[in-house]
């Protein structure tokens, strides 16, 4: 399997290279050259597989000859052994036809672990083979950084540098990053916003010399391997609810469009999906886009679902590429427009083909809190604010003819303030991670300047 860039001006790469590279040199995102597809008979044969065995079957076509099948199986098993639930991503019923897909049983209690644990083991495998060190840099609004620290800690050939906005993430999220007590983890509290952190990361990644010197890579959801790993739980949920014989709806709390794009990939690979609901908080660029075909970036609004406080949904580029018949020229023009004018427009034909499968709904703060309350009072389920956005959007806009699966993207204990505000109950951390709240934190405070981060690298990253 080869991978090509959405912007059409980079060399095709294999699986190992795509993992290491993250973003293409032409600034595009990598996509598989063609989609592996499974027919109904093949899908029904998956129905009794464990999560790990299903992951193996679904990932096999993507890895080409970068790994032997034995190596792939071993890496998958190691990756999911860190989950606290034997089913990895169990499905639990809310009411008739409504299900929660619990994606928060990994070590940092958010769905980011499902892919990041795999990335950690894959990086380690390939780096050992290459006998080479790598520096991974990551800007985070909380969950990605925590998952990356957990996946990369104590790995000799990796240095991980995480930039987070000082005082703008939850205490649980911060402690998950800063209490790893591992020499290869570098947490930087930047005086600024998430966007400032992201801008510094992009500045460093776009400096060819710097990138080469530190063998720099990135692990946010522009990395194809994260999307690939997330396809598995869509199939897992579908199979539990009668796929391939029954169609299914998914509602996905969305920020950077990585998670819901994995749902699109599952559909493309053959899973019978009826509707994918893009659920956003008040940062509603995607809802407006589906309505008018114009993507318009506004200022980021702070909400109680902070992991979705994003205006530029990077992975939308992958869907636009696919829906336009892989038109790289169109993608390049749109992205130039986005860079210069903070907007771009999509033609009606492509927009309609997106609307055949997707709907989008934004949910305000009040409705999010009401949904947390309603699930608690009526259904006895404690859910986090991101999950609540998905449920509210889905209930308002999906037909009840199909089963609906709501992706539960984080454990409520990660966002205690929002839960207390909604129902007056304090959500307790699971016992296996509650020790982080009293562990010693290690991090450095830095000013919001490219120069401070560069100087940090000079001082602290040993090549
Ligand atoms: C990252 C995150 C999201 C958004 O996922 P995207 O792939 O960025 O769309 C939703 N909920 C939680 C809890 C997250 O951590």
């Amino acid at each position: 399997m080869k991978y090509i860039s959405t912007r059409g001006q980079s060399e095709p790469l294999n699986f190992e290279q795509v993992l290491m590279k993250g973003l293409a040199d032409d600034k595009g995102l990598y996509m598989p050259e063609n989609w592996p597809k499974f027919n109904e008979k093949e899908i029904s044969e998956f129905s009794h597989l464990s999560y790990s065995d299903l992951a193996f079957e679904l990932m096999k076509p993507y890895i080409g000859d970068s790994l032997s099948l034995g190596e792939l199986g071993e890496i998958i098993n190691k990756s999911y052994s860190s989950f606290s639930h034997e089913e990895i991503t169990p499905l639990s019923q809310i009411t008739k036809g409504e299900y929660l897909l619990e994606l928060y049983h990994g070590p940092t209690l958010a769905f980011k672990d499902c892919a990041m644990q795999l990335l950690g083991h894959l990086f380690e495998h390939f780096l050992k083979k290459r006998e080479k060190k790598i520096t991974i840099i990551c800007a985070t609004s909380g969950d990605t950084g925590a998952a990356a620290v957990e996946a990369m800690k104590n790995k000799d050939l990796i240095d991980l540098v995480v930039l987070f906005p000082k005082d703008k993430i939850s205490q649980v999220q911060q402690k998950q990053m800063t209490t790893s007590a591992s020499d290869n983890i570098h947490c930087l509290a930047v005086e600024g916003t998430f966007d400032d952190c992201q801008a510094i990361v992009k500045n460093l990644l776009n400096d060819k010399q710097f990138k080469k010197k530190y063998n720099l890579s990135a692990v946010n959801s522009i990395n194809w391997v994260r999307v690939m790993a997330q396809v598995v739980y869509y199939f897992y949920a579908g199979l539990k609810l009668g796929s391939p014989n029954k169609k299914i709806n998914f509602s996905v709390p969305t920020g950077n469009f990585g998670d819901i794009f994995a749902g699109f990939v599952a559909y493309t690979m053959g899973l019978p999906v009826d509707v994918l609901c893009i659920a956003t908080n008040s940062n509603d660029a995607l809802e407006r886009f589906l309505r008018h075909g114009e993507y318009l970036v506004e200022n980021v609004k702070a909400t109680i679902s902070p992991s979705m406080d994003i205006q530029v949904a990077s992975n939308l580029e992958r869907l636009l590429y696919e829906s336009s018949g892989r038109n790289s020229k169109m993608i390049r023009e749109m992205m130039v427009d986005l860079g210069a004018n903070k907007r771009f427009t999509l033609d009606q034909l492509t927009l309609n083909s997106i609307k055949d499968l997707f709907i989008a709904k934004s949910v305000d703060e009040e409705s999010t809190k009401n949904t947390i309350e309603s699930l608690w009072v009526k259904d006895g389920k404690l859910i986090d604010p991101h999950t609540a956005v998905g449920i509210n959007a889905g209930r308002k806009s999906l037909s009840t003819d199909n089963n609906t699966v709501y992706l539960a993207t984080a454990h409520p204990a990660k966002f205690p303030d929002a839960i207390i505000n909604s129902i007056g109950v304090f959500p307790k951390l699971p016992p296996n991670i509650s020790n982080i709240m009293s562990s010693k934190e290690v991090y450095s405070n830095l000013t919001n300047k490219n120069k401070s981060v560069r100087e940090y690298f000079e001082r602290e990253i040993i090549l």
Side-chain angles (χ1 to χ4, degrees):
M1 173 75 80
K2 286 278 180 202
Y3 292 86
I4 51 179
S5 164
T6 49
R7 303 206 189 170
Q9 295 180 324
S10 289
E11 286 296 303
L13 299 182
N14 69 18
F15 180 79
E16 173 179 349
Q17 292 165 319
V18 162
L19 169 78
M20 296 288 173
K21 191 128 193 154
L23 194 65
D25 285 336
D26 62 9
K27 301 196 174 132
L29 307 186
Y30 284 108
M31 294 279 272
E33 207 164 39
N34 47 57
W35 295 109
K37 296 205 192 230
F38 296 99
N39 62 31
E40 283 197 13
K41 183 166 170 289
E42 288 164 322
I43 292 174
S44 56
E45 282 166 5
F46 291 159
S47 61
H48 297 294
L49 297 182
S50 68
Y51 189 94
S52 294
D53 290 345
L54 179 64
F56 180 82
E57 294 301 328
L58 295 172
M59 291 178 190
K60 209 160 58 176
Y62 287 109
I63 57 164
D65 51 14
S66 290
L67 293 170
S68 73
L69 293 183
E71 287 165 338
L72 175 66
E74 208 175 294
I75 287 172
I76 289 174
N77 287 336
K78 268 197 274 186
S79 302
Y80 297 106
S81 66
S82 61
F83 281 59
S84 64
H85 197 289
E86 60 175 359
E87 281 201 62
I88 315 301
T89 63
L91 195 66
S92 69
Q93 187 160 19
I94 307 173
T95 57
K96 189 169 176 294
E98 289 192 313
Y99 297 84
L100 273 183
L101 180 57
E102 299 176 6
L103 302 176
Y104 50 72
H105 295 284
T108 71
L109 309 180
F111 83 88
K112 305 288 199 294
D113 289 322
C114 298
M116 206 65 89
Q117 285 291 308
L118 185 84
L119 254 71
H121 290 292
L122 285 169
F123 269 115
E124 191 175 39
H125 173 88
F126 290 125
L127 290 168
K128 269 192 189 147
K129 208 179 70 185
R130 294 178 175 199
E131 295 179 354
K132 202 168 174 189
K133 273 193 79 175
I134 198 170
T135 313
I136 296 172
I137 187 162
C138 162
T140 183
S141 57
D143 291 333
T144 302
V149 167
E150 189 60 35
M152 312 294 170
K153 70 182 184 188
N154 302 319
K155 292 201 159 62
D156 296 344
L157 294 169
I158 300 174
D159 272 299
L160 172 67
V161 181
V162 181
L163 281 67
F164 66 88
K166 190 174 163 62
D167 301 329
K168 291 192 179 65
I169 61 176
S170 86
Q171 272 303 303
V172 177
Q173 290 176 318
Q174 175 160 333
K175 302 243 177 185
Q176 283 180 328
M177 290 190 272
T178 57
T179 62
S180 72
S182 174
D183 290 343
N184 69 327
I185 303 294
H186 307 267
C187 294
L188 309 182
V190 176
E191 276 169 33
T193 64
F194 168 72
D195 285 348
D196 296 326
C197 297
Q198 174 105 331
I200 295 174
V201 167
K202 284 197 178 150
N203 175 280
L204 299 183
L205 282 170
N206 286 331
D207 178 339
K208 284 214 175 98
Q209 242 179 333
F210 189 87
K211 195 171 176 189
K212 194 156 173 224
K213 180 170 173 194
Y214 291 101
N215 195 19
L216 214 54
S217 184
V219 291
N220 44 21
S221 60
I222 51 167
N223 194 311
W224 160 257
V225 180
R226 281 192 52 192
V227 174
M228 177 194 77
Q230 289 168 209
V231 171
V232 179
Y233 48 71
Y234 285 90
F235 271 91
Y236 190 75
L239 288 162
K240 290 244 150 180
L241 295 175
S243 292
N245 304 318
K246 275 194 189 159
K247 283 202 169 189
I248 187 169
N249 297 331
F250 290 95
S251 183
V252 188
T254 298
N256 219 2
F257 211 79
D259 204 6
I260 196 160
F261 186 73
F264 173 81
V265 173
Y267 164 79
T268 308
M269 290 170 72
L271 187 72
V273 177
D274 199 24
V275 182
L276 289 171
C277 175
I278 306 165
T280 71
N281 61 27
S282 341
N283 294 288
D284 62 349
L286 287 161
E287 190 198 56
R288 286 182 277 114
F289 175 61
L290 249 70
R291 211 178 310 134
H292 308 300
E294 186 188 50
Y295 197 90
L296 176 63
V297 178
E298 294 178 340
N299 289 331
V300 175
K301 298 185 192 89
T303 71
I304 58 169
S305 46
S307 303
M308 312 197 296
D309 291 349
I310 290 177
Q311 286 280 332
V312 182
S314 308
N315 282 289
L316 180 64
E317 178 167 339
R318 289 192 156 113
L319 180 66
L320 296 172
Y321 179 67
E322 218 36 48
S323 306
S324 65
R326 301 199 152 194
N327 186 341
S328 317
K329 182 165 171 289
M330 184 193 93
I331 299 289
R332 287 200 298 274
E333 286 165 3
M334 280 178 177
M335 295 303 142
V336 167
D337 210 12
L338 184 68
N341 308 313
K342 296 199 163 190
R343 69 175 69 203
F344 64 79
T345 312
L346 184 67
D347 67 278
Q348 206 59 41
L349 199 70
T350 311
L351 182 65
N352 285 342
S353 88
I354 290 176
K355 291 209 289 204
D356 283 343
L357 181 66
F358 289 89
I359 59 171
K361 184 94 195 142
S362 94
V363 177
D364 64 26
E365 298 288 274
E366 216 36 53
S367 309
T368 306
K369 286 190 220 161
N370 290 341
T371 303
I372 294 174
E373 189 189 5
S374 152
L375 266 278
W376 177 241
V377 175
K378 293 204 185 115
D379 308 304
K381 298 252 181 217
L382 192 57
I383 54 163
D384 101 293
H386 303 79
T387 307
V389 167
I391 294 179
N392 189 288
R395 282 186 170 173
K396 275 189 190 136
S397 45
L398 290 169
S399 116
T400 50
D401 296 346
N402 301 313
N403 283 322
T404 293
V405 172
Y406 298 106
L407 272 59
T409 49
H411 191 288
K414 283 198 103 164
F415 304 96
D417 295 346
I419 307 300
I420 293 171
N421 276 330
S422 310
I423 53 172
V425 171
F426 182 82
K428 274 210 213 110
L429 281 169
N432 57 331
I433 77 153
S434 57
N435 64 324
I436 60 163
M437 297 316 278
S438 54
S439 300
K440 180 166 173 277
E441 287 193 78
V442 179
Y443 63 95
S444 306
N445 289 301
L446 290 195
T447 55
N448 167 21
K449 292 215 168 63
N450 295 328
K451 192 162 150 265
S452 354
V453 180
R454 281 169 191 263
E455 284 168 359
Y456 182 90
F457 268 75
E458 301 259 318
R459 271 200 319 275
E460 302 288 339
I461 305 294
I462 300 148
L463 297 168

